Amino acid sequence: MKLGVCYYPEHWPKSRWVEDAQHMRRIGIQYVRVGEFSWSTIEPTPGELHWEWLDESLDILHSEGLKVILGTPTATPPKWLVDRHPSMLAKDEAGRVRGFGSRRHYTFASLEYREECRRMVTMMAERYGHHPAVASWQTDNEYGCHDTVLSYAEADLAAFRLWLAEKYGTVEALNKAWGNVFWSMDYRSFDEIELPNLTVTEANPSHRLDFQRCCSDQVVAFNKLQVDILREHSAGRDLVHNYMGFFTAFDHHKVGQDLDVASWDSYPLGSLDKEPLYTEDEKHTYLRVGHPDAGAFHHDLYRGCGNGRLWIMEQQPGPVNWAPHNPTPADGAVRLWTWEAFSHGAELVSYFRWRQAPFGQEQMHAGLLRPDAQEAEAAKEATLVAQEVKVLAESIGLDADELMSLPSAGKVALMFDYDACWSLDIQPQSRAYRYFFWCYRMYEAMRELGLSVDIVPSNAPLDMYELLVLPAQAHITPELQNRLNSYQGVLLAGPRTGSKTETYQIPENLAPGPLASLLPLTVERVDALPEHTQPAVSGRWGAGKLKHWHEQIKTELPCLLKDDGGNPVLMGEGRHYYLGSCIDNTLLKASLAKLSEVAGLSTYYLPKGVRVRERGNVIFAFNYSSNTVVFVPQNAELVIGSKCLGAADVAIWKKQ
Amino acid sequence: MKLGVCYYPEHWPKSRWVEDAQHMRRIGIQYVRVGEFSWSTIEPTPGELHWEWLDESLDILHSEGLKVILGTPTATPPKWLVDRHPSMLAKDEAGRVRGFGSRRHYTFASLEYREECRRMVTMMAERYGHHPAVASWQTDNEYGCHDTVLSYAEADLAAFRLWLAEKYGTVEALNKAWGNVFWSMDYRSFDEIELPNLTVTEANPSHRLDFQRCCSDQVVAFNKLQVDILREHSAGRDLVHNYMGFFTAFDHHKVGQDLDVASWDSYPLGSLDKEPLYTEDEKHTYLRVGHPDAGAFHHDLYRGCGNGRLWIMEQQPGPVNWAPHNPTPADGAVRLWTWEAFSHGAELVSYFRWRQAPFGQEQMHAGLLRPDAQEAEAAKEATLVAQEVKVLAESIGLDADELMSLPSAGKVALMFDYDACWSLDIQPQSRAYRYFFWCYRMYEAMRELGLSVDIVPSNAPLDMYELLVLPAQAHITPELQNRLNSYQGVLLAGPRTGSKTETYQIPENLAPGPLASLLPLTVERVDALPEHTQPAVSGRWGAGKLKHWHEQIKTELPCLLKDDGGNPVLMGEGRHYYLGSCIDNTLLKASLAKLSEVAGLSTYYLPKGVRVRERGNVIFAFNYSSNTVVFVPQNAELVIGSKCLGAADVAIWKKQ
Amino acid sequence: MKLGVCYYPEHWPKSRWVEDAQHMRRIGIQYVRVGEFSWSTIEPTPGELHWEWLDESLDILHSEGLKVILGTPTATPPKWLVDRHPSMLAKDEAGRVRGFGSRRHYTFASLEYREECRRMVTMMAERYGHHPAVASWQTDNEYGCHDTVLSYAEADLAAFRLWLAEKYGTVEALNKAWGNVFWSMDYRSFDEIELPNLTVTEANPSHRLDFQRCCSDQVVAFNKLQVDILREHSAGRDLVHNYMGFFTAFDHHKVGQDLDVASWDSYPLGSLDKEPLYTEDEKHTYLRVGHPDAGAFHHDLYRGCGNGRLWIMEQQPGPVNWAPHNPTPADGAVRLWTWEAFSHGAELVSYFRWRQAPFGQEQMHAGLLRPDAQEAEAAKEATLVAQEVKVLAESIGLDADELMSLPSAGKVALMFDYDACWSLDIQPQSRAYRYFFWCYRMYEAMRELGLSVDIVPSNAPLDMYELLVLPAQAHITPELQNRLNSYQGVLLAGPRTGSKTETYQIPENLAPGPLASLLPLTVERVDALPEHTQPAVSGRWGAGKLKHWHEQIKTELPCLLKDDGGNPVLMGEGRHYYLGSCIDNTLLKASLAKLSEVAGLSTYYLPKGVRVRERGNVIFAFNYSSNTVVFVPQNAELVIGSKCLGAADVAIWKKQ
Ligand SMILES: [Zn+2]
Ligand SMILES: [Zn+2]
Ligand SMILES: [Zn+2]
């Protein structure tokens, strides 16, 4: 449980650098991320390298005992480089070149740009690979930010044709897999295939899905190129990339397999304002703290992408600049977010950024320091957290560095799958349906029950879980089917599970496809509803409303919830259950409470806006509401905070 | 009154074909549409023709006694063909090429593509023109679907310049007709004229109107090319095209003149969800049956495009895939839609499609069979209708084939004119105004009165009608003026009638232009209102609200409705009436009830959501509400159903 | 106080011209604007000049005693000219050429087009520079209409690079000024710099601001080119341009410096409907008169652009054609608008247009005459105003021509600055914030208090004002700082004042930057709120709601309003006050009432919808509500109207 900060020495006079490092140390910061946007400072003109500023800067940080996460600057190639390789630029869906002038002006598929990255990363790795301050490397920055995963340039077309040829072998196989006979879309060779943009109406969904997969694989390959260099020249350092919240355009699990740690950039207020997931009421209630499950969801998701290792690379420290509206956080919110991250297993929480820049696109983005170098609110809260970490360590009898060893895994798993996400969102049937939203609402329901949840990829080991939820696992691979067959805990599969083959066709036996062997039922028809049509549902497990997606199912399984025509909505027995519809949050929570009971899991009763998370023998409690609430876990001793939690407050308990 | 189905043998293994044909026959299907998207199966590579599958498929259908409607596959040219003629692709209004990857990837104006079509259609017509199964040909598929009538490519510009030169003779005539002096828009030659897209602000409305007309004429010419070939090689077969609902981008009356039958594709749920015509309340109330007048309106409109002959080429059989939300139809809705079509004179109702495809863009579009070849709901309802047709035929003493001879024309005509539609929508003055919506609401009001309405083109004979409504006949041609002068029934002209000349200018005597000879009045000024400003209107014929469009009129005619300033809104006497404003539905219904009285027409009192239609001595009653209602016509004997109609129910009565 | 009209003789047969001129005179019109869209009539083909029609037309107007404002026709270059210089066309932000077919099809930066303009304007100026009818010249028409200030074509890029080189001297200076180090955006030469469109995400705000300034300067240069020619060949005539309402894309103060008079085009109903400034409630209440402060605001703003001289070049006379909805004005509204203009110092109110055109884009735009040459409503109201002007002149003992000499300046100044507008809108932080809207609401509050306000540029002399309001003066130049230092009246600075440097950086001492010397405070943090979050504010000066923008301020100044955390919102003492948040209209009015008291200004109590304006010893009262209200100023004698004002009514009083 360590603190860090993102720092841009190149933005400030050298005369400030020593004072900055000392100030960081005073606050309790141990890690500093450096360098990820500095290409034009390192190489202002082709081949003319300026390392001296970075040498000096790393030495100063080192001399103050700070550890460095060094970023490769490949998210911001300089203008001269772009002018040399104009074909490296991405094109948007409308076919327009996305030019220089901000950042991320490249397409992952550009082989020319990959060569430039190889050159730069090799130079950096050779120079700093063994620098004593360098503890870690960050590859690039926020892959995919500003919608940059899908690109429609010549380089992307070339990559796509190759990718398809490799996947399908023959074009006849591709025609069959995509069902190209449908509208005379058959191809005679891979060279006839185009990108799925600018078509007259929707392109073939199989075509679109493969394009998404190919683009995701370009991200993986782009990252792997850097990873290979860094492993060679800087062995033993943690390799990491900083993912974003609410972002699914590439397969984070695949990228994560090549790295040592997963990190992400946590902006609770900006995302609340921007994401269509949230209702107007939620936006209003949680304006200054963010939604209670936004941080938690991503912590659990990315811990699953990092083989259990999680950092927060950028933590919002105050108002930001990029959301439609940018309010100030509540007093205490920065502390709340930091402890929430630690409770989910984060080893490091690093604030973005050290000092607010007075220039550039993000000049209205707060830092720990204001532009005039005075401490902003967040600096005080970070200082407090650093002290509290010590208190916690002491009270549970660990040295502060050992806190990392506290187990962070839960007994409940929710399967999140990028491929399923792409598949289902390509054809949502009801505009109200989104894979991510549905997963989030299932997670939220479990978290309102106080369950500590792991969010796992489809290839994760499942044996350690008492309860496994597949929110909407579109395609069940034979390999997953095998693991599910032997899984001994309680399984809940949600609507759309097993509804597609690998190449986006309807399975021969209809949904849930192969899963029908565990859940003997057939999805006969789908009722995809508008937002405001919410038919009633009720049964032994509760009553509520259907939303967005409602399957008509034929089954002999016992029904726990039925629609108002008496048709099965939630069904199953023993260890296997199927939910055929999206249902409202309250009924979802009630249903998951029943399943927890079946699985032998105990749950909490929590006031509105309150969340808990357990890690080893420590219980963390968080109050996202703006009321003072009382929360006392059983058989536990208070370590930090009080049983009365004010707005944005935190309490920490030790189990007895 | 026959049933049909759309069938794609090329999507399924040959081993299924015989079973499919037999199953169709069991349901009571007599017609099968085949072939319209199969170009790449017929000609997978240039000049290599594969007819064998189609030969076999037609033979199987024939051997089961099924009749075939054979589609020309020109809506889906294969990739190799597009690569040979890249200039055949359309461009959108933003100037972007609309590429291969779905369907309808061509512009009607492309002479190169027309030659390819000539080649393919000739081959097909020669091969199958006299095949005993082939009863009919469908040209292409859904002209204009996915906004493909207006295109802004080089081929379109060339066609437009030619079209203008032909229409105007000299560029001076064009400059005068368009009023190009207005903003120095004068041209020196036809070659200077551009397409009306990507201008700095709105292009000259005369320019826009002529472009719309030219594009519509390209559709007519494209269709005529195929018609001429088919007439030559397959004489005696019915030629047909399948139009779409709520679609006005080309002149369907002109296309219809070259064909034998009009058909359309009826998707009641999808259109309810998509069309801005409908209120939120209507969308909610009719979620699972569609709006009560959507089918009827188009049946009457397209019967008028088909010289009295009407087919439904695609009837929605379950949830579709292309609307923002895709709910399931109510139980009985498919039967309801089918009988509604028959009641308006349809000879054939053909379901789309036989078996749901497990691949491609429409894999979530239901069929009569599910993807696993089991019967879906609609198959049962179709079977029932086939049996009920026999009952009806017997009970009125006709052989089933003779049902077609029941007269379907009404005594009331509503004039619908594509040219008027384009004219008025180019400059609606109030964003709330749309020609189609206004026509629809007038039709709805008459249908709520139980009137059986013909929707007629502006060149239709008028003598057989007791009441004639011109909702908004923008330009009154001298020829139409003559027919109106001698018309002996009751005439109602609506707002904007006579407000434009042929080249989109204001008539010298202001609106209603030449019609002032029958309706002595002058439209002095127009009040074009926002949606929520609805001034009061009242008078001898009722009271209500003004909406969208309100004319300030000077006249000596008696006033039947006045605005709250005492100005005339509805005026006239004897046989000639003028309505100067859009008014709310209830007042519209009251006013049309009065006019029906003047015209000596009797009307029905119908419960909300109930509609009737008469055909010969048969009365059809339909319940679109979700309540059970009682409906008993006078002096009639029940043939099918009951006087208590449940939700989505049908009753059929024979007049005594 | 004179009336004028916009007239297009080229649209009508010569046989009408004499009758037109006589009819104008009968109404009381003295000025006629002519010629501004007539290039293709003057020069239908290159070099073939047709002046005869314009000669004749001017002679006829002259012979009827009418004065002419002659427009240069450069807003509508003919097609042949565009075909000769295709690079003169603008490109939109998406990079698409904005083609011929309407108007304003050129970019201001095109040197080729400037040469064509030089040729045309020189010919016109030489021919008509001394014509006895020509009293004034209008340059071009509505600069920037249809979003034409920002253009992204090659000519614009060339101009921008030059402009930057001139401003910054070295590219290093530019890199520093823009903070290009931020995302490796450093340039090595001015030739590397691109336009700020089509970037992956937001371009650097300093880049965007300089581009806006450069484009504005292109407008200034384009106008200056014509001014220089006209000054040379037509000395002594008033040079004028017609600005638009709610339009800020170029610096009107800079353009105004080169002209003699400022004029603008006043369309009260169209702008009410179109502008997001207004609430739904305001749109409804003022549907037929326009918002009570829309005309006034622009009269005061543009009088400040014209060194005190103001004309209305186009006054809406009835329904227009270009708004989303186009209702008819209330009876009396045209008179109301005309007198409102006169009360703010307008020398001339000119109606657009003489006779409604029956063709072209604006055929639904009303004129004083209908298309059939009959008088429309507005003609009657104009006639009445012409008579009332004589009554007013007599009653205050002036000859009608001397009315112009009535002083129009107020004692209160509101500073409006185009550069501040661009700066703050580039990064609004809350989508709800807009500089223009906030200035307007401050103006509205003062006008509801009956204050006569001058809207002044940032370089205006300030000594004559008792109260000076800086709504949001983003950058305080040293020169302005000096004038503020010596200013002796009461000063109110609003939120965001002093928050940016000249090159869009945060000042070293944070906001309010240099102004902290007068207002000792520091803006520590900003809370940028969504529309519906409106925290409470209260204090000695009233209570209400915070909106959109809320600064967290550290200061020792006395607090007059505080937020609910007790933080200062409105603070100050003596002559200097700072408001750190946007506040609701009612509290804004209360606060300005307090400040008026401090400044020794007397205010009015006015019924809702009523406004007054003083000019010399004349008091004008206007009723924008739809109720009859009573208004009686103290110590004044009624000259025109009555103390009971009906809807859209005017009363004029003489102070005793
Ligand atoms: Zn970031
Ligand atoms: Zn279709
Ligand atoms: Zn104008």
Side-chain angles (χ1 to χ4, degrees), chain B residues 214-257:
Chain B
C214 168
C215 288
S216 174
D217 282 356
Q218 303 307 314
V219 180
V220 174
F222 183 93
N223 183 67
K224 186 66 163 38
L225 181 151
Q226 301 200 8
V227 163
D228 289 346
I229 296 164
L230 295 168
R231 295 255 184 253
E232 185 184 345
H233 298 289
S234 190
R237 266 69 176 186
D238 282 326
L239 302 192
V240 66
H241 178 76
N242 57 330
Y243 306 126
M244 294 180 294
F246 300 91
F247 189 82
T248 56
F250 65 86
D251 190 328
H252 292 55
H253 290 123
K254 278 198 190 172
V255 168
Q257 279 164 17

Side-chain angles (χ1 to χ4, degrees), chain A residues 33 37 103 141-142 242 265 267 314 352 362:
Chain A
R33 185 184 66 169
F37 295 129
R103 59 177 180 175
N141 182 73
E142 291 182 339
N242 57 331
D265 297 347
Y267 291 95
E314 302 184 6
F352 182 88
E362 294 180 350

Side-chain angles (χ1 to χ4, degrees), chain C residues 335 339 388-397 617-620 636-643 650-655:
Chain C
R335 171 177 171 253
W339 274 116
E388 289 176 333
V389 167
K390 287 184 199 148
V391 173
L392 173 63
E394 251 169 59
S395 64
I396 59 174
N617 64 336
V618 184
I619 302 170
F620 299 83
E637 181 190 334
L638 192 67
V639 176
I640 282 170
S642 105
K643 61 186 185 178
V650 177
I652 305 178
W653 302 72
K654 188 171 68 175
K655 282 191 195 171

Side-chain angles (χ1 to χ4, degrees), chain A residues 53 69 78 139 151 179 211 250 282 324 348 400 452 499 527 535 563 582 609 648 650:
Chain A
W53 69 273
I69 303 161
T139 54
S151 163
F211 181 59
F250 65 86
E282 288 173 321
L348 171 71
S452 292
S499 63
D527 190 25
D563 70 16
C582 297
V650 177

Side-chain angles (χ1 to χ4, degrees), chain A residues 521 553 555 557-560 568-573 576-580:
Chain A
L521 60 93
I553 289 170
T555 189
L557 288 169
C559 281
L560 307 162
V569 169
L570 177 55
M571 63 219 75
E573 60 191 335
H576 297 149
Y577 297 85
Y578 185 79
L579 172 63

